[in-house]
Amino acid sequence: MSLRLYDSLSRSVRDFTPVTPGQVGMYLCGMTVDAVPHIGHLRGGLNFDVLLRWLRHSGYEVTYVRNVTDIDDKILRRAADAGEQWWARAARIERVLTASYQLLGCLPPTVEPRATGHIPEMVEMMRRLIAAGHAYAADGDVYFDVASWPAYGELSGQQVDAMQQGETLATGKRSAVDFTLWKGTKPGEPATASWASPWGPGRPGWHLECSAMAGKYLGPAFDIHGGGIDLVFPHHENEIAQSRADGQQFSAFWLHNAWVTLAGEKMSKSLGNVLSLDAVTQIARPIEVRYYLSTPHYRSTIAYSEEALAEAVTAYRRIEDFVVRASEKVGEVPAVDLPEAFVAAMDDDLGVPRAVAVVHDTIREGNTALQSEDLPAVRAALGNVRAMLGILGLDSSAPEWAGGASADQSGDRLREVVDALVAGILTARQDARNRKDFATADALRDNLKAAGVQVEDGAAGSRWTLER
């Protein structure tokens, strides 16, 4: 079976055929950098990181664009409230966002354009829309004329007369449903948040940014446009309208990931019910947080709870434990071919839950082989597991976990020191056992246990792990 994906525009699962054979253009609506990202924001980046890995594994050359909205009303407002320059706040939050993606093992995008770096492209797009009769200028602002585009509403399925753009009232609008392409500078706004345009100084509207950046880097027709389900309307609805009115085919597939909820509500900065990555990584390691956020199906809602996170931690550590035990038996084994069931799951609208079930089934087979000392079967299972973990971004030995900004170098050094200390104690314990001084051996083991170190004795000697 070839890759099939759910397209929000057609409301169906369709065969994926790229616009250009062998190549994929993928655009993900990135974050507005007004406040520190929460795990709801990061979930989308993780889902599309898995899709990126799967597309590359499937042989496609992927151009992956993930934008940053670094000028916006929310950025100006939060910066003013905090006594910051808006551009300084945007840059600071962007650094936090980048570090968060790295911490969770996400591969970097091909390009990560900022809205402020693409004002000329936006101005040119507005010129074309006005010339074609799809946009108009009024009082220093520019609006898209929704009535000029009969297909408006095709993505969200809403009726035009029931729509609300979520914008403040303005005297220049012909219709309340028309949306802003360009915001003229208002009194009291910082001069640094303004650019020259034929319609007067101002800044771009949110929706215009993504159309201009997607068109610049992926061309007038590309394959996949992604984002959270909350972006379907108005953001993505407006993107489709303005881009197709501009003569672009735009995206062939629209993919939307579901929310992370807290107490039954969407996690939202405006509601204040958010959990930062820092808070969650106090409970679980980053790779375990990745497992928790990326293994449910991307279109299913994650209802956050510490209990659910703990279950994910336990599940991932079962995987990790098998990899460690198997590697001790057969040494390092490279990733090999993926099981057919895993491939079928991933090709079926990125069916990660079924794919993860294949991982656990393979581990059960591997554990049985470990018990029976069937080393060829252990080696085969380990190779399969490592291959699957690589696709899911969950192989802890991969470069994105082992080095760079995602590595905790002080933690690595601490592990080396603890490993040496524990090894010395285990050697002393084994010496005590050899001379049948079991009281000393038991005391040494009890001291390690009190410190949170679990010792397991086996035919190959003693191994230790931190208690979970």
Side-chain angles (χ1 to χ4, degrees), residues 197-247:
S197 84
W199 313 282
R203 62 182 183 275
W206 175 35
H207 315 299
L208 180 66
E209 299 171 2
C210 286
S211 287
M213 289 185 282
K216 178 178 178 68
Y217 294 102
L218 298 175
F222 59 95
D223 300 292
I224 297 170
H225 194 308
I229 195 170
D230 52 321
L231 299 182
V232 170
F233 184 86
H235 187 47
H236 288 170
E237 189 77 75
N238 293 347
E239 278 191 67
I240 291 177
Q242 65 198 10
S243 297
R244 293 193 173 174
D246 187 39

Short mmCIF file of all heavy atoms in Angstrom, two decimals, residues 197-247:
data_model
loop_
_atom_site.label_atom_id
_atom_site.label_comp_id
_atom_site.label_asym_id
_atom_site.label_seq_id
_atom_site.Cartn_x
_atom_site.Cartn_y
_atom_site.Cartn_z
N SER A 197 4.79 50.83 2.73
CA SER A 197 4.01 50.14 1.71
C SER A 197 3.32 51.19 0.85
O SER A 197 3.23 52.36 1.24
CB SER A 197 2.96 49.23 2.36
OG SER A 197 1.79 49.96 2.69
N PRO A 198 2.79 50.80 -0.32
CA PRO A 198 2.07 51.76 -1.16
C PRO A 198 0.81 52.32 -0.48
O PRO A 198 0.28 53.34 -0.92
CB PRO A 198 1.70 50.94 -2.39
CG PRO A 198 2.68 49.82 -2.42
CD PRO A 198 2.97 49.51 -0.99
N TRP A 199 0.35 51.68 0.58
CA TRP A 199 -0.89 52.10 1.25
C TRP A 199 -0.61 52.78 2.58
O TRP A 199 -1.50 53.03 3.38
CB TRP A 199 -1.77 50.86 1.47
CG TRP A 199 -1.84 50.08 0.20
CD1 TRP A 199 -2.60 50.36 -0.90
CD2 TRP A 199 -1.05 48.93 -0.13
NE1 TRP A 199 -2.35 49.46 -1.90
CE2 TRP A 199 -1.40 48.56 -1.46
CE3 TRP A 199 -0.11 48.17 0.54
CZ2 TRP A 199 -0.83 47.47 -2.11
CZ3 TRP A 199 0.47 47.09 -0.11
CH2 TRP A 199 0.12 46.74 -1.41
N GLY A 200 0.66 53.06 2.82
CA GLY A 200 1.07 53.71 4.05
C GLY A 200 1.83 52.75 4.95
O GLY A 200 1.85 51.53 4.72
N PRO A 201 2.46 53.28 6.00
CA PRO A 201 3.23 52.42 6.90
C PRO A 201 2.33 51.47 7.68
O PRO A 201 1.19 51.80 8.01
CB PRO A 201 3.92 53.43 7.83
CG PRO A 201 3.03 54.63 7.80
CD PRO A 201 2.47 54.70 6.41
N GLY A 202 2.87 50.29 7.96
CA GLY A 202 2.08 49.31 8.71
C GLY A 202 2.81 48.00 8.82
O GLY A 202 4.03 47.93 8.66
N ARG A 203 2.06 46.97 9.07
CA ARG A 203 2.64 45.63 9.22
C ARG A 203 1.66 44.62 8.63
O ARG A 203 0.46 44.90 8.49
CB ARG A 203 2.92 45.32 10.69
CG ARG A 203 1.70 45.31 11.59
CD ARG A 203 2.09 45.03 13.04
NE ARG A 203 0.95 44.94 13.93
CZ ARG A 203 0.37 45.98 14.50
NH1 ARG A 203 0.81 47.20 14.26
NH2 ARG A 203 -0.68 45.81 15.29
N PRO A 204 2.15 43.42 8.31
CA PRO A 204 1.28 42.45 7.65
C PRO A 204 0.27 41.82 8.59
O PRO A 204 0.47 41.69 9.79
CB PRO A 204 2.27 41.40 7.15
CG PRO A 204 3.43 41.50 8.10
CD PRO A 204 3.53 42.95 8.46
N GLY A 205 -0.84 41.39 8.00
CA GLY A 205 -1.80 40.56 8.74
C GLY A 205 -1.27 39.14 8.85
O GLY A 205 -0.44 38.70 8.04
N TRP A 206 -1.75 38.43 9.83
CA TRP A 206 -1.26 37.08 10.13
C TRP A 206 -1.41 36.14 8.94
O TRP A 206 -0.51 35.38 8.60
CB TRP A 206 -2.01 36.57 11.35
CG TRP A 206 -1.73 35.17 11.77
CD1 TRP A 206 -0.55 34.50 11.69
CD2 TRP A 206 -2.67 34.25 12.35
NE1 TRP A 206 -0.67 33.23 12.20
CE2 TRP A 206 -1.97 33.05 12.61
CE3 TRP A 206 -4.01 34.33 12.69
CZ2 TRP A 206 -2.59 31.94 13.19
CZ3 TRP A 206 -4.62 33.24 13.28
CH2 TRP A 206 -3.91 32.05 13.52
N HIS A 207 -2.57 36.18 8.29
CA HIS A 207 -2.86 35.19 7.25
C HIS A 207 -1.97 35.40 6.03
O HIS A 207 -1.53 34.42 5.40
CB HIS A 207 -4.33 35.29 6.85
CG HIS A 207 -5.25 35.39 8.02
ND1 HIS A 207 -5.33 34.40 8.97
CD2 HIS A 207 -6.11 36.38 8.41
CE1 HIS A 207 -6.22 34.77 9.90
NE2 HIS A 207 -6.69 35.95 9.57
N LEU A 208 -1.70 36.65 5.70
CA LEU A 208 -0.89 36.95 4.52
C LEU A 208 0.52 36.38 4.64
O LEU A 208 1.11 35.95 3.65
CB LEU A 208 -0.83 38.47 4.33
CG LEU A 208 -0.01 38.98 3.14
CD1 LEU A 208 -0.68 38.57 1.83
CD2 LEU A 208 0.13 40.50 3.22
N GLU A 209 1.07 36.38 5.85
CA GLU A 209 2.45 35.95 6.06
C GLU A 209 2.70 34.55 5.50
O GLU A 209 3.66 34.31 4.75
CB GLU A 209 2.79 35.96 7.55
CG GLU A 209 2.68 37.31 8.22
CD GLU A 209 2.81 37.21 9.73
OE1 GLU A 209 3.02 36.07 10.23
OE2 GLU A 209 2.71 38.24 10.41
N CYS A 210 1.84 33.62 5.87
CA CYS A 210 2.08 32.22 5.51
C CYS A 210 1.94 32.00 4.00
O CYS A 210 2.70 31.23 3.41
CB CYS A 210 1.15 31.31 6.28
SG CYS A 210 1.61 31.13 8.02
N SER A 211 0.97 32.65 3.38
CA SER A 211 0.82 32.49 1.94
C SER A 211 2.06 32.98 1.21
O SER A 211 2.55 32.34 0.26
CB SER A 211 -0.41 33.26 1.44
OG SER A 211 -1.60 32.60 1.82
N ALA A 212 2.59 34.12 1.63
CA ALA A 212 3.76 34.68 0.98
C ALA A 212 4.99 33.80 1.18
O ALA A 212 5.77 33.56 0.24
CB ALA A 212 4.02 36.09 1.49
N MET A 213 5.18 33.30 2.40
CA MET A 213 6.36 32.49 2.68
C MET A 213 6.27 31.11 2.03
O MET A 213 7.25 30.59 1.50
CB MET A 213 6.58 32.39 4.19
CG MET A 213 7.06 33.71 4.79
SD MET A 213 7.49 33.61 6.55
CE MET A 213 5.86 33.65 7.30
N ALA A 214 5.08 30.50 2.05
CA ALA A 214 4.91 29.20 1.40
C ALA A 214 5.17 29.33 -0.10
O ALA A 214 5.86 28.49 -0.71
CB ALA A 214 3.52 28.66 1.65
N GLY A 215 4.65 30.39 -0.70
CA GLY A 215 4.85 30.59 -2.13
C GLY A 215 6.31 30.82 -2.48
O GLY A 215 6.80 30.32 -3.50
N LYS A 216 7.02 31.55 -1.63
CA LYS A 216 8.43 31.85 -1.92
C LYS A 216 9.28 30.59 -1.92
O LYS A 216 10.12 30.40 -2.80
CB LYS A 216 8.97 32.84 -0.89
CG LYS A 216 10.46 33.18 -1.10
CD LYS A 216 10.94 34.20 -0.09
CE LYS A 216 12.42 34.51 -0.27
NZ LYS A 216 12.69 35.22 -1.53
N TYR A 217 9.09 29.73 -0.93
CA TYR A 217 10.00 28.59 -0.76
C TYR A 217 9.50 27.30 -1.41
O TYR A 217 10.30 26.41 -1.70
CB TYR A 217 10.27 28.36 0.72
CG TYR A 217 11.02 29.51 1.33
CD1 TYR A 217 10.37 30.45 2.11
CD2 TYR A 217 12.39 29.68 1.09
CE1 TYR A 217 11.06 31.54 2.65
CE2 TYR A 217 13.08 30.75 1.62
CZ TYR A 217 12.41 31.68 2.39
OH TYR A 217 13.09 32.76 2.91
N LEU A 218 8.20 27.19 -1.64
CA LEU A 218 7.66 25.94 -2.19
C LEU A 218 7.01 26.12 -3.56
O LEU A 218 6.66 25.13 -4.20
CB LEU A 218 6.64 25.34 -1.21
CG LEU A 218 7.20 24.96 0.16
CD1 LEU A 218 6.08 24.48 1.08
CD2 LEU A 218 8.29 23.89 0.03
N GLY A 219 6.85 27.37 -3.99
CA GLY A 219 6.26 27.61 -5.30
C GLY A 219 4.74 27.69 -5.25
O GLY A 219 4.12 27.53 -4.19
N PRO A 220 4.10 27.90 -6.40
CA PRO A 220 2.64 28.09 -6.44
C PRO A 220 1.84 26.82 -6.20
O PRO A 220 0.64 26.88 -5.94
CB PRO A 220 2.40 28.63 -7.85
CG PRO A 220 3.55 28.10 -8.66
CD PRO A 220 4.73 28.08 -7.73
N ALA A 221 2.50 25.66 -6.30
CA ALA A 221 1.82 24.38 -6.05
C ALA A 221 2.77 23.50 -5.25
O ALA A 221 3.89 23.25 -5.67
CB ALA A 221 1.42 23.71 -7.35
N PHE A 222 2.32 23.05 -4.09
CA PHE A 222 3.13 22.15 -3.28
C PHE A 222 2.24 21.09 -2.66
O PHE A 222 1.04 21.02 -2.95
CB PHE A 222 3.95 22.93 -2.24
CG PHE A 222 3.14 23.75 -1.27
CD1 PHE A 222 2.78 23.25 -0.03
CD2 PHE A 222 2.76 25.06 -1.59
CE1 PHE A 222 2.05 24.01 0.87
CE2 PHE A 222 2.03 25.83 -0.70
CZ PHE A 222 1.67 25.30 0.53
N ASP A 223 2.81 20.26 -1.80
CA ASP A 223 2.13 19.02 -1.45
C ASP A 223 1.32 19.05 -0.15
O ASP A 223 0.18 18.61 -0.12
CB ASP A 223 3.17 17.89 -1.37
CG ASP A 223 3.88 17.70 -2.69
OD1 ASP A 223 3.23 17.25 -3.65
OD2 ASP A 223 5.08 18.03 -2.78
N ILE A 224 1.93 19.51 0.93
CA ILE A 224 1.31 19.37 2.26
C ILE A 224 1.39 20.68 3.01
O ILE A 224 2.45 21.30 3.10
CB ILE A 224 2.01 18.27 3.08
CG1 ILE A 224 1.86 16.91 2.41
CG2 ILE A 224 1.45 18.22 4.50
CD1 ILE A 224 2.74 15.82 3.02
N HIS A 225 0.27 21.11 3.55
CA HIS A 225 0.22 22.26 4.46
C HIS A 225 -0.33 21.73 5.78
O HIS A 225 -1.38 21.12 5.82
CB HIS A 225 -0.69 23.34 3.90
CG HIS A 225 -0.55 24.67 4.59
ND1 HIS A 225 -0.64 24.82 5.96
CD2 HIS A 225 -0.33 25.92 4.09
CE1 HIS A 225 -0.48 26.10 6.26
NE2 HIS A 225 -0.29 26.79 5.16
N GLY A 226 0.41 21.96 6.86
CA GLY A 226 0.01 21.42 8.15
C GLY A 226 -0.16 22.49 9.21
O GLY A 226 0.27 23.64 9.06
N GLY A 227 -0.80 22.08 10.30
CA GLY A 227 -0.99 22.96 11.44
C GLY A 227 -1.99 22.35 12.40
O GLY A 227 -2.57 21.28 12.14
N GLY A 228 -2.23 23.04 13.50
CA GLY A 228 -3.20 22.58 14.48
C GLY A 228 -4.62 22.74 13.97
O GLY A 228 -4.91 23.60 13.13
N ILE A 229 -5.52 21.92 14.51
CA ILE A 229 -6.90 21.95 14.05
C ILE A 229 -7.57 23.29 14.33
O ILE A 229 -8.51 23.69 13.65
CB ILE A 229 -7.69 20.78 14.69
CG1 ILE A 229 -9.01 20.57 13.96
CG2 ILE A 229 -7.89 21.02 16.19
CD1 ILE A 229 -9.73 19.31 14.38
N ASP A 230 -7.05 24.02 15.31
CA ASP A 230 -7.61 25.34 15.62
C ASP A 230 -7.30 26.37 14.53
O ASP A 230 -7.87 27.46 14.54
CB ASP A 230 -7.08 25.83 16.97
CG ASP A 230 -5.58 25.79 17.07
OD1 ASP A 230 -4.98 24.83 16.56
OD2 ASP A 230 -4.99 26.71 17.66
N LEU A 231 -6.42 26.03 13.59
CA LEU A 231 -6.06 26.96 12.52
C LEU A 231 -6.94 26.81 11.28
O LEU A 231 -6.83 27.60 10.34
CB LEU A 231 -4.59 26.76 12.11
CG LEU A 231 -3.54 26.99 13.20
CD1 LEU A 231 -2.14 26.81 12.62
CD2 LEU A 231 -3.68 28.38 13.81
N VAL A 232 -7.82 25.81 11.27
CA VAL A 232 -8.67 25.60 10.09
C VAL A 232 -9.42 26.88 9.74
O VAL A 232 -9.44 27.31 8.58
CB VAL A 232 -9.65 24.43 10.33
CG1 VAL A 232 -10.69 24.36 9.22
CG2 VAL A 232 -8.90 23.11 10.42
N PHE A 233 -10.03 27.49 10.75
CA PHE A 233 -10.67 28.79 10.55
C PHE A 233 -10.29 29.70 11.70
O PHE A 233 -10.32 29.29 12.85
CB PHE A 233 -12.20 28.66 10.48
CG PHE A 233 -12.86 29.98 10.17
CD1 PHE A 233 -13.03 30.38 8.86
CD2 PHE A 233 -13.28 30.83 11.19
CE1 PHE A 233 -13.61 31.62 8.57
CE2 PHE A 233 -13.85 32.05 10.90
CZ PHE A 233 -14.02 32.45 9.59
N PRO A 234 -9.87 30.94 11.40
CA PRO A 234 -9.89 31.54 10.06
C PRO A 234 -8.58 31.40 9.27
O PRO A 234 -8.55 31.67 8.09
CB PRO A 234 -10.16 33.01 10.35
CG PRO A 234 -9.47 33.24 11.67
CD PRO A 234 -9.65 31.96 12.45
N HIS A 235 -7.50 30.99 9.94
CA HIS A 235 -6.17 31.15 9.33
C HIS A 235 -6.04 30.39 8.01
O HIS A 235 -5.71 30.99 6.97
CB HIS A 235 -5.09 30.71 10.31
CG HIS A 235 -3.70 30.98 9.85
ND1 HIS A 235 -3.32 32.19 9.32
CD2 HIS A 235 -2.59 30.19 9.81
CE1 HIS A 235 -2.03 32.15 9.00
NE2 HIS A 235 -1.57 30.94 9.28
N HIS A 236 -6.28 29.10 8.03
CA HIS A 236 -6.07 28.32 6.82
C HIS A 236 -7.16 28.59 5.78
O HIS A 236 -6.88 28.55 4.56
CB HIS A 236 -5.97 26.84 7.14
CG HIS A 236 -4.70 26.49 7.83
ND1 HIS A 236 -4.46 25.25 8.40
CD2 HIS A 236 -3.57 27.21 8.06
CE1 HIS A 236 -3.25 25.23 8.94
NE2 HIS A 236 -2.71 26.42 8.75
N GLU A 237 -8.37 28.85 6.22
CA GLU A 237 -9.41 29.25 5.27
C GLU A 237 -8.99 30.49 4.50
O GLU A 237 -9.15 30.58 3.26
CB GLU A 237 -10.71 29.54 6.02
CG GLU A 237 -11.92 29.76 5.12
CD GLU A 237 -12.47 28.45 4.57
OE1 GLU A 237 -13.12 27.71 5.33
OE2 GLU A 237 -12.23 28.18 3.37
N ASN A 238 -8.42 31.45 5.22
CA ASN A 238 -7.99 32.69 4.58
C ASN A 238 -6.77 32.50 3.69
O ASN A 238 -6.63 33.13 2.64
CB ASN A 238 -7.71 33.75 5.65
CG ASN A 238 -8.97 34.17 6.38
OD1 ASN A 238 -10.09 33.85 5.94
ND2 ASN A 238 -8.83 34.89 7.48
N GLU A 239 -5.87 31.61 4.11
CA GLU A 239 -4.71 31.30 3.27
C GLU A 239 -5.14 30.74 1.92
O GLU A 239 -4.63 31.14 0.87
CB GLU A 239 -3.80 30.30 3.96
CG GLU A 239 -2.85 30.87 4.98
CD GLU A 239 -1.83 29.82 5.39
OE1 GLU A 239 -1.01 29.44 4.53
OE2 GLU A 239 -1.88 29.36 6.54
N ILE A 240 -6.06 29.77 1.95
CA ILE A 240 -6.51 29.17 0.70
C ILE A 240 -7.12 30.24 -0.20
O ILE A 240 -6.80 30.33 -1.40
CB ILE A 240 -7.56 28.07 0.97
CG1 ILE A 240 -6.92 26.86 1.65
CG2 ILE A 240 -8.22 27.63 -0.34
CD1 ILE A 240 -7.92 25.79 1.99
N ALA A 241 -8.00 31.06 0.36
CA ALA A 241 -8.71 32.05 -0.44
C ALA A 241 -7.74 33.03 -1.09
O ALA A 241 -7.77 33.25 -2.31
CB ALA A 241 -9.72 32.80 0.43
N GLN A 242 -6.84 33.62 -0.30
CA GLN A 242 -5.96 34.66 -0.86
C GLN A 242 -4.94 34.06 -1.83
O GLN A 242 -4.58 34.68 -2.83
CB GLN A 242 -5.27 35.43 0.25
CG GLN A 242 -4.30 34.63 1.09
CD GLN A 242 -3.96 35.28 2.42
OE1 GLN A 242 -4.58 36.25 2.83
NE2 GLN A 242 -2.98 34.73 3.13
N SER A 243 -4.48 32.83 -1.54
CA SER A 243 -3.48 32.21 -2.42
C SER A 243 -4.08 31.78 -3.75
O SER A 243 -3.50 32.01 -4.82
CB SER A 243 -2.83 31.02 -1.72
OG SER A 243 -2.13 31.44 -0.57
N ARG A 244 -5.25 31.18 -3.71
CA ARG A 244 -5.88 30.76 -4.97
C ARG A 244 -6.41 31.95 -5.74
O ARG A 244 -6.39 31.95 -6.98
CB ARG A 244 -6.96 29.73 -4.67
CG ARG A 244 -6.36 28.43 -4.13
CD ARG A 244 -7.33 27.28 -4.11
NE ARG A 244 -6.63 26.04 -3.74
CZ ARG A 244 -7.23 24.88 -3.54
NH1 ARG A 244 -8.55 24.79 -3.65
NH2 ARG A 244 -6.52 23.81 -3.22
N ALA A 245 -6.85 32.98 -5.04
CA ALA A 245 -7.24 34.21 -5.73
C ALA A 245 -6.05 34.86 -6.41
O ALA A 245 -6.20 35.57 -7.41
CB ALA A 245 -7.89 35.17 -4.74
N ASP A 246 -4.85 34.57 -5.88
CA ASP A 246 -3.62 35.08 -6.47
C ASP A 246 -3.13 34.20 -7.63
O ASP A 246 -2.06 34.43 -8.18
CB ASP A 246 -2.54 35.16 -5.38
CG ASP A 246 -1.27 35.83 -5.83
OD1 ASP A 246 -1.36 36.83 -6.59
OD2 ASP A 246 -0.18 35.38 -5.44
N GLY A 247 -3.90 33.17 -7.97
CA GLY A 247 -3.54 32.32 -9.10
C GLY A 247 -2.70 31.11 -8.74
O GLY A 247 -2.23 30.39 -9.63
#
